[in-house]
Amino acid sequence: MPTRYGRSPWVDQYPKSRIPSYRKPKTLPQVDVAIIGGGLTGCATAYAFAAAGIKVALFEADRLGQGGTAGASGWIAGEPNADFADVEKMVGKRAARHAWQAWRRAALDFTALLRRLDVKCRLEPASALVAALNQEQAVALKREQKSRKAAGLGASLLSGRVVAAEAAIAAVAGLRGQDGVTIDPYRATLGLASAAAARGALIFEQSPVSKITFTRKYADMVTPAGPLRLQRIIVATGMPTMLFKSLRRHFWFKSAYSALTEPVPAKIRAMLGARQAVVRDLGVPPHVIRWVDGDRLMVTGADIDTPTPRLAEQAIVYRSNELMYELSTIYPDISGIMPAYGWESPYALTAERLPYLGPHRNFPFHLFAFGDSSPSVTGAYLASRVLLRHHLGENDAADDAFGFHR
């Protein structure tokens, strides 16, 4: 079968007859909070607010989970996609340690929530490995381990032999990451939306927000059904839209690419380790490799500045095939296996590689979730909890690590 470029396997393989449809609003509800963005972050936030007894409405410009979430890797990782040593230099040891601890808590709590809600999202336990593929990367890995241990964070250095046994990768050394799980992010989004609606959240699709104005007392948000006056607007679009173009200066706009193979034959799978680890190498840009459904390899990486719309389709084809070639150099036994899917994942990158979660002084009544550049989806749940604490005025000390003021 030819490669399906520009299509998300999560959405493409979901039965069309089972995709829920949330109506456009005919009349505007009286709510305390409006959420803009119906991806995994928006739906997790809608659930968190509804479960806390807050009247909330979510507005998605298109269909739930078919934007940025559709391109996600589906990995709930126990730590950010950043080097602790680099983050420590930029924000200090205390803030960096808080960020890592908050990320780990979020990964555990997110997994527990999906299980408690019985969300059918193909949740599977996964160990995490950072692999150094050459001596230069091994030196960087040892430096990273030293920085983490000095901050009181667990970090076990592994020999190349251990990495090879677990992931069948010819590595010089490895670092044991915090274990996590893998999921189907689209199914998780729909499951959280359903759970939020059951708690009283109002969810509206094909309802773009066209304008927001505010005074000292309130904010007005213009929707297809008219204006809505609010005391709180949460923007969970992942990056600033043109409604918030003044905030775009905080970010670099990048695109990562992913390729998912056709099923790997059983004989070859038997030579590729335990197939239970998510592996990140230290390339520039790095690769993140995971198994999907036990028999398909998925690789994410090849990050570049987001191309113009005119060049986007060409970039997907080129980068997806480049990833498959690079994957075959890591796993030579898969040479000749074709990609089933190749797709793009745009994201906004911050200087510290940590997201901005919370208020901005130039936008009263707003809370933002921007700049999650991690290939994992842990940040979606983390954002939902940080934003709820900001709204309730019950901030945690660790929340400062994700503020615009850092």
PDB file of all heavy atoms in Angstrom, residues 73-75 77 81 129 169 182 256-259 277-283 285-291 297-303 323 327 330-331 373-376:
ATOM      1  N   SER A  73       2.999  11.957  19.344  1.00  0.00           N
ATOM      2  CA  SER A  73       3.616  10.626  19.388  1.00  0.00           C
ATOM      3  C   SER A  73       2.815   9.653  20.239  1.00  0.00           C
ATOM      4  O   SER A  73       2.903   8.439  20.058  1.00  0.00           O
ATOM      5  CB  SER A  73       5.033  10.733  19.962  1.00  0.00           C
ATOM      6  OG  SER A  73       4.985  11.046  21.349  1.00  0.00           O
ATOM      7  N   GLY A  74       2.054  10.160  21.215  1.00  0.00           N
ATOM      8  CA  GLY A  74       1.300   9.274  22.088  1.00  0.00           C
ATOM      9  C   GLY A  74       2.139   8.643  23.186  1.00  0.00           C
ATOM     10  O   GLY A  74       1.846   7.539  23.644  1.00  0.00           O
ATOM     11  N   TRP A  75       3.144   9.351  23.660  1.00  0.00           N
ATOM     12  CA  TRP A  75       4.025   8.861  24.714  1.00  0.00           C
ATOM     13  C   TRP A  75       3.809   9.710  25.957  1.00  0.00           C
ATOM     14  O   TRP A  75       3.999  10.929  25.918  1.00  0.00           O
ATOM     15  CB  TRP A  75       5.462   8.925  24.233  1.00  0.00           C
ATOM     16  CG  TRP A  75       6.521   8.587  25.242  1.00  0.00           C
ATOM     17  CD1 TRP A  75       6.424   7.706  26.288  1.00  0.00           C
ATOM     18  CD2 TRP A  75       7.856   9.109  25.287  1.00  0.00           C
ATOM     19  NE1 TRP A  75       7.614   7.647  26.982  1.00  0.00           N
ATOM     20  CE2 TRP A  75       8.506   8.500  26.390  1.00  0.00           C
ATOM     21  CE3 TRP A  75       8.558  10.020  24.508  1.00  0.00           C
ATOM     22  CZ2 TRP A  75       9.838   8.791  26.717  1.00  0.00           C
ATOM     23  CZ3 TRP A  75       9.879  10.306  24.833  1.00  0.00           C
ATOM     24  CH2 TRP A  75      10.507   9.689  25.925  1.00  0.00           C
ATOM     25  N   ALA A  77       5.545  10.566  28.870  1.00  0.00           N
ATOM     26  CA  ALA A  77       6.916  10.450  29.365  1.00  0.00           C
ATOM     27  C   ALA A  77       7.019  10.988  30.784  1.00  0.00           C
ATOM     28  O   ALA A  77       6.290  11.897  31.175  1.00  0.00           O
ATOM     29  CB  ALA A  77       7.874  11.209  28.444  1.00  0.00           C
ATOM     30  N   ASN A  81      11.415  16.764  27.434  1.00  0.00           N
ATOM     31  CA  ASN A  81      12.351  16.463  26.348  1.00  0.00           C
ATOM     32  C   ASN A  81      13.426  17.554  26.320  1.00  0.00           C
ATOM     33  O   ASN A  81      13.483  18.378  25.421  1.00  0.00           O
ATOM     34  CB  ASN A  81      11.618  16.420  25.006  1.00  0.00           C
ATOM     35  CG  ASN A  81      12.564  16.071  23.866  1.00  0.00           C
ATOM     36  OD1 ASN A  81      13.423  15.209  24.007  1.00  0.00           O
ATOM     37  ND2 ASN A  81      12.409  16.745  22.745  1.00  0.00           N
ATOM     38  N   LEU A 129      14.498   5.023  27.597  1.00  0.00           N
ATOM     39  CA  LEU A 129      15.950   4.995  27.492  1.00  0.00           C
ATOM     40  C   LEU A 129      16.435   6.190  26.691  1.00  0.00           C
ATOM     41  O   LEU A 129      15.835   6.532  25.662  1.00  0.00           O
ATOM     42  CB  LEU A 129      16.415   3.717  26.785  1.00  0.00           C
ATOM     43  CG  LEU A 129      16.176   2.375  27.469  1.00  0.00           C
ATOM     44  CD1 LEU A 129      16.567   1.247  26.525  1.00  0.00           C
ATOM     45  CD2 LEU A 129      16.961   2.292  28.764  1.00  0.00           C
ATOM     46  N   ILE A 169      19.793  -1.661  20.075  1.00  0.00           N
ATOM     47  CA  ILE A 169      20.465  -0.520  19.456  1.00  0.00           C
ATOM     48  C   ILE A 169      21.945  -0.582  19.802  1.00  0.00           C
ATOM     49  O   ILE A 169      22.317  -0.812  20.959  1.00  0.00           O
ATOM     50  CB  ILE A 169      19.853   0.807  19.948  1.00  0.00           C
ATOM     51  CG1 ILE A 169      18.454   0.975  19.358  1.00  0.00           C
ATOM     52  CG2 ILE A 169      20.721   1.999  19.590  1.00  0.00           C
ATOM     53  CD1 ILE A 169      17.737   2.209  19.835  1.00  0.00           C
ATOM     54  N   THR A 182       2.553   4.345  26.683  1.00  0.00           N
ATOM     55  CA  THR A 182       2.207   4.838  25.353  1.00  0.00           C
ATOM     56  C   THR A 182       0.697   4.728  25.180  1.00  0.00           C
ATOM     57  O   THR A 182       0.063   3.828  25.741  1.00  0.00           O
ATOM     58  CB  THR A 182       2.920   4.051  24.248  1.00  0.00           C
ATOM     59  OG1 THR A 182       2.588   2.658  24.357  1.00  0.00           O
ATOM     60  CG2 THR A 182       4.425   4.230  24.347  1.00  0.00           C
ATOM     61  N   ALA A 256       8.242  18.982  13.747  1.00  0.00           N
ATOM     62  CA  ALA A 256       8.835  17.655  13.801  1.00  0.00           C
ATOM     63  C   ALA A 256       8.073  16.773  12.811  1.00  0.00           C
ATOM     64  O   ALA A 256       6.946  17.086  12.422  1.00  0.00           O
ATOM     65  CB  ALA A 256       8.746  17.076  15.205  1.00  0.00           C
ATOM     66  N   TYR A 257       8.688  15.676  12.428  1.00  0.00           N
ATOM     67  CA  TYR A 257       8.063  14.763  11.465  1.00  0.00           C
ATOM     68  C   TYR A 257       8.081  13.352  12.046  1.00  0.00           C
ATOM     69  O   TYR A 257       8.924  13.018  12.888  1.00  0.00           O
ATOM     70  CB  TYR A 257       8.784  14.825  10.123  1.00  0.00           C
ATOM     71  CG  TYR A 257       8.643  16.184   9.490  1.00  0.00           C
ATOM     72  CD1 TYR A 257       9.507  17.220   9.822  1.00  0.00           C
ATOM     73  CD2 TYR A 257       7.599  16.452   8.613  1.00  0.00           C
ATOM     74  CE1 TYR A 257       9.339  18.498   9.288  1.00  0.00           C
ATOM     75  CE2 TYR A 257       7.430  17.725   8.074  1.00  0.00           C
ATOM     76  CZ  TYR A 257       8.298  18.745   8.419  1.00  0.00           C
ATOM     77  OH  TYR A 257       8.123  20.007   7.902  1.00  0.00           O
ATOM     78  N   SER A 258       7.131  12.559  11.619  1.00  0.00           N
ATOM     79  CA  SER A 258       7.031  11.189  12.103  1.00  0.00           C
ATOM     80  C   SER A 258       6.783  10.248  10.937  1.00  0.00           C
ATOM     81  O   SER A 258       6.163  10.629   9.935  1.00  0.00           O
ATOM     82  CB  SER A 258       5.877  11.041  13.112  1.00  0.00           C
ATOM     83  OG  SER A 258       6.113  11.821  14.264  1.00  0.00           O
ATOM     84  N   ALA A 259       7.271   9.036  11.094  1.00  0.00           N
ATOM     85  CA  ALA A 259       6.995   7.967  10.131  1.00  0.00           C
ATOM     86  C   ALA A 259       6.615   6.719  10.909  1.00  0.00           C
ATOM     87  O   ALA A 259       7.216   6.415  11.953  1.00  0.00           O
ATOM     88  CB  ALA A 259       8.215   7.703   9.248  1.00  0.00           C
ATOM     89  N   ALA A 277      10.494  -0.436  25.148  1.00  0.00           N
ATOM     90  CA  ALA A 277      11.096   0.848  25.527  1.00  0.00           C
ATOM     91  C   ALA A 277      10.802   1.911  24.482  1.00  0.00           C
ATOM     92  O   ALA A 277      10.715   1.621  23.286  1.00  0.00           O
ATOM     93  CB  ALA A 277      12.608   0.692  25.702  1.00  0.00           C
ATOM     94  N   VAL A 278      10.646   3.133  24.963  1.00  0.00           N
ATOM     95  CA  VAL A 278      10.679   4.307  24.090  1.00  0.00           C
ATOM     96  C   VAL A 278      12.102   4.842  24.168  1.00  0.00           C
ATOM     97  O   VAL A 278      12.626   5.100  25.259  1.00  0.00           O
ATOM     98  CB  VAL A 278       9.679   5.384  24.538  1.00  0.00           C
ATOM     99  CG1 VAL A 278       9.770   6.598  23.626  1.00  0.00           C
ATOM    100  CG2 VAL A 278       8.257   4.829  24.543  1.00  0.00           C
ATOM    101  N   VAL A 279      12.744   4.988  23.029  1.00  0.00           N
ATOM    102  CA  VAL A 279      14.163   5.346  22.977  1.00  0.00           C
ATOM    103  C   VAL A 279      14.321   6.738  22.379  1.00  0.00           C
ATOM    104  O   VAL A 279      13.741   7.038  21.330  1.00  0.00           O
ATOM    105  CB  VAL A 279      14.962   4.331  22.135  1.00  0.00           C
ATOM    106  CG1 VAL A 279      16.440   4.721  22.103  1.00  0.00           C
ATOM    107  CG2 VAL A 279      14.798   2.920  22.701  1.00  0.00           C
ATOM    108  N   ARG A 280      15.083   7.562  23.070  1.00  0.00           N
ATOM    109  CA  ARG A 280      15.474   8.874  22.522  1.00  0.00           C
ATOM    110  C   ARG A 280      16.985   8.892  22.411  1.00  0.00           C
ATOM    111  O   ARG A 280      17.692   8.547  23.367  1.00  0.00           O
ATOM    112  CB  ARG A 280      14.999  10.010  23.438  1.00  0.00           C
ATOM    113  CG  ARG A 280      15.425  11.404  22.981  1.00  0.00           C
ATOM    114  CD  ARG A 280      14.738  12.491  23.790  1.00  0.00           C
ATOM    115  NE  ARG A 280      15.173  12.542  25.160  1.00  0.00           N
ATOM    116  CZ  ARG A 280      16.191  13.290  25.605  1.00  0.00           C
ATOM    117  NH1 ARG A 280      16.896  14.027  24.758  1.00  0.00           N
ATOM    118  NH2 ARG A 280      16.498  13.292  26.886  1.00  0.00           N
ATOM    119  N   ASP A 281      17.493   9.276  21.236  1.00  0.00           N
ATOM    120  CA  ASP A 281      18.942   9.405  21.107  1.00  0.00           C
ATOM    121  C   ASP A 281      19.343  10.870  21.294  1.00  0.00           C
ATOM    122  O   ASP A 281      18.495  11.734  21.562  1.00  0.00           O
ATOM    123  CB  ASP A 281      19.445   8.823  19.788  1.00  0.00           C
ATOM    124  CG  ASP A 281      18.969   9.600  18.554  1.00  0.00           C
ATOM    125  OD1 ASP A 281      18.602  10.789  18.679  1.00  0.00           O
ATOM    126  OD2 ASP A 281      18.965   9.014  17.456  1.00  0.00           O
ATOM    127  N   LEU A 282      20.613  11.148  21.172  1.00  0.00           N
ATOM    128  CA  LEU A 282      21.120  12.499  21.400  1.00  0.00           C
ATOM    129  C   LEU A 282      21.543  13.171  20.105  1.00  0.00           C
ATOM    130  O   LEU A 282      22.406  14.053  20.099  1.00  0.00           O
ATOM    131  CB  LEU A 282      22.295  12.466  22.390  1.00  0.00           C
ATOM    132  CG  LEU A 282      21.951  11.984  23.800  1.00  0.00           C
ATOM    133  CD1 LEU A 282      23.188  12.005  24.687  1.00  0.00           C
ATOM    134  CD2 LEU A 282      20.857  12.844  24.416  1.00  0.00           C
ATOM    135  N   GLY A 283      20.939  12.759  19.022  1.00  0.00           N
ATOM    136  CA  GLY A 283      21.222  13.418  17.752  1.00  0.00           C
ATOM    137  C   GLY A 283      20.706  14.847  17.756  1.00  0.00           C
ATOM    138  O   GLY A 283      19.959  15.279  18.640  1.00  0.00           O
ATOM    139  N   PRO A 285      18.670  17.067  15.125  1.00  0.00           N
ATOM    140  CA  PRO A 285      17.706  16.859  16.216  1.00  0.00           C
ATOM    141  C   PRO A 285      17.675  15.406  16.646  1.00  0.00           C
ATOM    142  O   PRO A 285      18.081  14.511  15.899  1.00  0.00           O
ATOM    143  CB  PRO A 285      16.384  17.281  15.583  1.00  0.00           C
ATOM    144  CG  PRO A 285      16.558  16.958  14.137  1.00  0.00           C
ATOM    145  CD  PRO A 285      18.002  17.247  13.817  1.00  0.00           C
ATOM    146  N   PRO A 286      17.157  15.135  17.868  1.00  0.00           N
ATOM    147  CA  PRO A 286      17.096  13.753  18.344  1.00  0.00           C
ATOM    148  C   PRO A 286      16.000  12.958  17.652  1.00  0.00           C
ATOM    149  O   PRO A 286      15.080  13.519  17.058  1.00  0.00           O
ATOM    150  CB  PRO A 286      16.777  13.923  19.839  1.00  0.00           C
ATOM    151  CG  PRO A 286      16.050  15.227  19.918  1.00  0.00           C
ATOM    152  CD  PRO A 286      16.657  16.096  18.860  1.00  0.00           C
ATOM    153  N   HIS A 287      16.113  11.646  17.739  1.00  0.00           N
ATOM    154  CA  HIS A 287      15.043  10.741  17.297  1.00  0.00           C
ATOM    155  C   HIS A 287      14.347  10.168  18.524  1.00  0.00           C
ATOM    156  O   HIS A 287      15.003   9.888  19.534  1.00  0.00           O
ATOM    157  CB  HIS A 287      15.600   9.570  16.477  1.00  0.00           C
ATOM    158  CG  HIS A 287      16.349   9.974  15.257  1.00  0.00           C
ATOM    159  ND1 HIS A 287      17.719  10.111  15.234  1.00  0.00           N
ATOM    160  CD2 HIS A 287      15.918  10.276  14.006  1.00  0.00           C
ATOM    161  CE1 HIS A 287      18.103  10.471  14.019  1.00  0.00           C
ATOM    162  NE2 HIS A 287      17.033  10.578  13.254  1.00  0.00           N
ATOM    163  N   VAL A 288      13.059  10.001  18.441  1.00  0.00           N
ATOM    164  CA  VAL A 288      12.300   9.253  19.442  1.00  0.00           C
ATOM    165  C   VAL A 288      11.675   8.063  18.722  1.00  0.00           C
ATOM    166  O   VAL A 288      10.986   8.230  17.713  1.00  0.00           O
ATOM    167  CB  VAL A 288      11.207  10.119  20.099  1.00  0.00           C
ATOM    168  CG1 VAL A 288      10.354   9.279  21.038  1.00  0.00           C
ATOM    169  CG2 VAL A 288      11.839  11.282  20.864  1.00  0.00           C
ATOM    170  N   ILE A 289      11.949   6.881  19.239  1.00  0.00           N
ATOM    171  CA  ILE A 289      11.517   5.643  18.584  1.00  0.00           C
ATOM    172  C   ILE A 289      10.641   4.858  19.550  1.00  0.00           C
ATOM    173  O   ILE A 289      11.010   4.667  20.713  1.00  0.00           O
ATOM    174  CB  ILE A 289      12.732   4.786  18.166  1.00  0.00           C
ATOM    175  CG1 ILE A 289      13.658   5.589  17.242  1.00  0.00           C
ATOM    176  CG2 ILE A 289      12.283   3.502  17.490  1.00  0.00           C
ATOM    177  CD1 ILE A 289      15.005   4.922  17.002  1.00  0.00           C
ATOM    178  N   ARG A 290       9.495   4.418  19.094  1.00  0.00           N
ATOM    179  CA  ARG A 290       8.608   3.587  19.905  1.00  0.00           C
ATOM    180  C   ARG A 290       7.912   2.559  19.021  1.00  0.00           C
ATOM    181  O   ARG A 290       7.877   2.708  17.788  1.00  0.00           O
ATOM    182  CB  ARG A 290       7.552   4.430  20.624  1.00  0.00           C
ATOM    183  CG  ARG A 290       6.643   5.218  19.695  1.00  0.00           C
ATOM    184  CD  ARG A 290       5.353   5.690  20.366  1.00  0.00           C
ATOM    185  NE  ARG A 290       4.421   4.592  20.576  1.00  0.00           N
ATOM    186  CZ  ARG A 290       3.095   4.760  20.710  1.00  0.00           C
ATOM    187  NH1 ARG A 290       2.574   5.966  20.687  1.00  0.00           N
ATOM    188  NH2 ARG A 290       2.304   3.721  20.874  1.00  0.00           N
ATOM    189  N   TRP A 291       7.388   1.525  19.635  1.00  0.00           N
ATOM    190  CA  TRP A 291       6.596   0.522  18.936  1.00  0.00           C
ATOM    191  C   TRP A 291       5.119   0.865  19.043  1.00  0.00           C
ATOM    192  O   TRP A 291       4.657   1.361  20.071  1.00  0.00           O
ATOM    193  CB  TRP A 291       6.854  -0.869  19.517  1.00  0.00           C
ATOM    194  CG  TRP A 291       8.189  -1.423  19.130  1.00  0.00           C
ATOM    195  CD1 TRP A 291       9.368  -1.265  19.795  1.00  0.00           C
ATOM    196  CD2 TRP A 291       8.481  -2.209  17.977  1.00  0.00           C
ATOM    197  NE1 TRP A 291      10.380  -1.904  19.130  1.00  0.00           N
ATOM    198  CE2 TRP A 291       9.858  -2.492  18.009  1.00  0.00           C
ATOM    199  CE3 TRP A 291       7.710  -2.703  16.931  1.00  0.00           C
ATOM    200  CZ2 TRP A 291      10.490  -3.249  17.036  1.00  0.00           C
ATOM    201  CZ3 TRP A 291       8.334  -3.465  15.955  1.00  0.00           C
ATOM    202  CH2 TRP A 291       9.705  -3.733  16.014  1.00  0.00           C
ATOM    203  N   LEU A 297       7.100   0.105  13.904  1.00  0.00           N
ATOM    204  CA  LEU A 297       8.027   1.072  14.478  1.00  0.00           C
ATOM    205  C   LEU A 297       7.616   2.481  14.087  1.00  0.00           C
ATOM    206  O   LEU A 297       7.275   2.742  12.929  1.00  0.00           O
ATOM    207  CB  LEU A 297       9.446   0.809  13.989  1.00  0.00           C
ATOM    208  CG  LEU A 297      10.283  -0.183  14.805  1.00  0.00           C
ATOM    209  CD1 LEU A 297      11.533  -0.562  14.031  1.00  0.00           C
ATOM    210  CD2 LEU A 297      10.648   0.400  16.165  1.00  0.00           C
ATOM    211  N   MET A 298       7.654   3.380  15.059  1.00  0.00           N
ATOM    212  CA  MET A 298       7.372   4.784  14.810  1.00  0.00           C
ATOM    213  C   MET A 298       8.599   5.592  15.196  1.00  0.00           C
ATOM    214  O   MET A 298       9.187   5.390  16.266  1.00  0.00           O
ATOM    215  CB  MET A 298       6.168   5.237  15.642  1.00  0.00           C
ATOM    216  CG  MET A 298       5.857   6.717  15.537  1.00  0.00           C
ATOM    217  SD  MET A 298       4.380   7.113  16.520  1.00  0.00           S
ATOM    218  CE  MET A 298       4.488   8.904  16.536  1.00  0.00           C
ATOM    219  N   VAL A 299       9.023   6.479  14.342  1.00  0.00           N
ATOM    220  CA  VAL A 299      10.170   7.335  14.614  1.00  0.00           C
ATOM    221  C   VAL A 299       9.760   8.790  14.409  1.00  0.00           C
ATOM    222  O   VAL A 299       9.071   9.124  13.440  1.00  0.00           O
ATOM    223  CB  VAL A 299      11.387   6.964  13.722  1.00  0.00           C
ATOM    224  CG1 VAL A 299      11.041   7.027  12.236  1.00  0.00           C
ATOM    225  CG2 VAL A 299      12.572   7.867  14.030  1.00  0.00           C
ATOM    226  N   THR A 300      10.148   9.626  15.341  1.00  0.00           N
ATOM    227  CA  THR A 300       9.842  11.060  15.297  1.00  0.00           C
ATOM    228  C   THR A 300      11.145  11.832  15.357  1.00  0.00           C
ATOM    229  O   THR A 300      12.060  11.467  16.101  1.00  0.00           O
ATOM    230  CB  THR A 300       8.937  11.455  16.481  1.00  0.00           C
ATOM    231  OG1 THR A 300       7.710  10.733  16.400  1.00  0.00           O
ATOM    232  CG2 THR A 300       8.643  12.941  16.487  1.00  0.00           C
ATOM    233  N   GLY A 301      11.240  12.912  14.593  1.00  0.00           N
ATOM    234  CA  GLY A 301      12.441  13.744  14.589  1.00  0.00           C
ATOM    235  C   GLY A 301      12.485  14.608  13.346  1.00  0.00           C
ATOM    236  O   GLY A 301      11.458  15.083  12.874  1.00  0.00           O
ATOM    237  N   ALA A 302      13.703  14.806  12.800  1.00  0.00           N
ATOM    238  CA  ALA A 302      13.915  15.591  11.573  1.00  0.00           C
ATOM    239  C   ALA A 302      13.352  17.001  11.699  1.00  0.00           C
ATOM    240  O   ALA A 302      12.878  17.590  10.727  1.00  0.00           O
ATOM    241  CB  ALA A 302      13.304  14.883  10.362  1.00  0.00           C
ATOM    242  N   ASP A 303      13.428  17.586  12.904  1.00  0.00           N
ATOM    243  CA  ASP A 303      12.841  18.903  13.160  1.00  0.00           C
ATOM    244  C   ASP A 303      13.502  19.996  12.312  1.00  0.00           C
ATOM    245  O   ASP A 303      14.727  20.027  12.167  1.00  0.00           O
ATOM    246  CB  ASP A 303      13.001  19.287  14.630  1.00  0.00           C
ATOM    247  CG  ASP A 303      12.415  18.266  15.590  1.00  0.00           C
ATOM    248  OD1 ASP A 303      12.565  17.056  15.332  1.00  0.00           O
ATOM    249  OD2 ASP A 303      11.831  18.676  16.598  1.00  0.00           O
ATOM    250  N   LEU A 323      13.594  10.131   7.666  1.00  0.00           N
ATOM    251  CA  LEU A 323      13.480   9.438   8.944  1.00  0.00           C
ATOM    252  C   LEU A 323      13.560   7.929   8.769  1.00  0.00           C
ATOM    253  O   LEU A 323      14.186   7.227   9.578  1.00  0.00           O
ATOM    254  CB  LEU A 323      12.162   9.814   9.627  1.00  0.00           C
ATOM    255  CG  LEU A 323      12.133  11.141  10.382  1.00  0.00           C
ATOM    256  CD1 LEU A 323      10.707  11.468  10.804  1.00  0.00           C
ATOM    257  CD2 LEU A 323      13.046  11.096  11.605  1.00  0.00           C
ATOM    258  N   LEU A 327      16.211   5.583  10.498  1.00  0.00           N
ATOM    259  CA  LEU A 327      15.784   4.462  11.319  1.00  0.00           C
ATOM    260  C   LEU A 327      16.458   3.170  10.866  1.00  0.00           C
ATOM    261  O   LEU A 327      16.839   2.332  11.692  1.00  0.00           O
ATOM    262  CB  LEU A 327      14.262   4.319  11.243  1.00  0.00           C
ATOM    263  CG  LEU A 327      13.628   3.231  12.115  1.00  0.00           C
ATOM    264  CD1 LEU A 327      13.854   3.535  13.595  1.00  0.00           C
ATOM    265  CD2 LEU A 327      12.127   3.119  11.825  1.00  0.00           C
ATOM    266  N   ILE A 330      19.821   2.752  12.337  1.00  0.00           N
ATOM    267  CA  ILE A 330      19.773   2.338  13.737  1.00  0.00           C
ATOM    268  C   ILE A 330      19.375   0.870  13.835  1.00  0.00           C
ATOM    269  O   ILE A 330      19.919   0.109  14.631  1.00  0.00           O
ATOM    270  CB  ILE A 330      18.792   3.231  14.519  1.00  0.00           C
ATOM    271  CG1 ILE A 330      19.294   4.684  14.522  1.00  0.00           C
ATOM    272  CG2 ILE A 330      18.601   2.735  15.949  1.00  0.00           C
ATOM    273  CD1 ILE A 330      18.291   5.690  15.073  1.00  0.00           C
ATOM    274  N   TYR A 331      18.411   0.471  13.018  1.00  0.00           N
ATOM    275  CA  TYR A 331      17.936  -0.924  12.952  1.00  0.00           C
ATOM    276  C   TYR A 331      18.135  -1.435  11.520  1.00  0.00           C
ATOM    277  O   TYR A 331      17.200  -1.441  10.714  1.00  0.00           O
ATOM    278  CB  TYR A 331      16.459  -1.010  13.316  1.00  0.00           C
ATOM    279  CG  TYR A 331      16.149  -0.807  14.770  1.00  0.00           C
ATOM    280  CD1 TYR A 331      15.246   0.176  15.178  1.00  0.00           C
ATOM    281  CD2 TYR A 331      16.721  -1.610  15.746  1.00  0.00           C
ATOM    282  CE1 TYR A 331      14.937   0.359  16.517  1.00  0.00           C
ATOM    283  CE2 TYR A 331      16.424  -1.436  17.093  1.00  0.00           C
ATOM    284  CZ  TYR A 331      15.533  -0.451  17.469  1.00  0.00           C
ATOM    285  OH  TYR A 331      15.242  -0.273  18.794  1.00  0.00           O
ATOM    286  N   SER A 373       7.150  21.642  23.543  1.00  0.00           N
ATOM    287  CA  SER A 373       7.925  21.104  22.418  1.00  0.00           C
ATOM    288  C   SER A 373       8.315  19.650  22.630  1.00  0.00           C
ATOM    289  O   SER A 373       9.052  19.086  21.824  1.00  0.00           O
ATOM    290  CB  SER A 373       9.191  21.939  22.214  1.00  0.00           C
ATOM    291  OG  SER A 373      10.003  21.930  23.389  1.00  0.00           O
ATOM    292  N   SER A 374       7.831  19.039  23.699  1.00  0.00           N
ATOM    293  CA  SER A 374       8.187  17.651  23.970  1.00  0.00           C
ATOM    294  C   SER A 374       7.469  16.709  23.013  1.00  0.00           C
ATOM    295  O   SER A 374       6.303  16.931  22.675  1.00  0.00           O
ATOM    296  CB  SER A 374       7.803  17.291  25.407  1.00  0.00           C
ATOM    297  OG  SER A 374       7.992  15.917  25.646  1.00  0.00           O
ATOM    298  N   PRO A 375       8.122  15.628  22.573  1.00  0.00           N
ATOM    299  CA  PRO A 375       7.412  14.641  21.750  1.00  0.00           C
ATOM    300  C   PRO A 375       6.431  13.811  22.571  1.00  0.00           C
ATOM    301  O   PRO A 375       5.664  13.039  22.026  1.00  0.00           O
ATOM    302  CB  PRO A 375       8.539  13.761  21.198  1.00  0.00           C
ATOM    303  CG  PRO A 375       9.634  13.890  22.198  1.00  0.00           C
ATOM    304  CD  PRO A 375       9.544  15.291  22.728  1.00  0.00           C
ATOM    305  N   SER A 376       6.459  13.974  23.894  1.00  0.00           N
ATOM    306  CA  SER A 376       5.488  13.269  24.728  1.00  0.00           C
ATOM    307  C   SER A 376       4.231  14.118  24.880  1.00  0.00           C
ATOM    308  O   SER A 376       4.195  15.289  24.500  1.00  0.00           O
ATOM    309  CB  SER A 376       6.077  12.978  26.117  1.00  0.00           C
ATOM    310  OG  SER A 376       6.017  14.117  26.951  1.00  0.00           O
TER     311      SER A 376
END
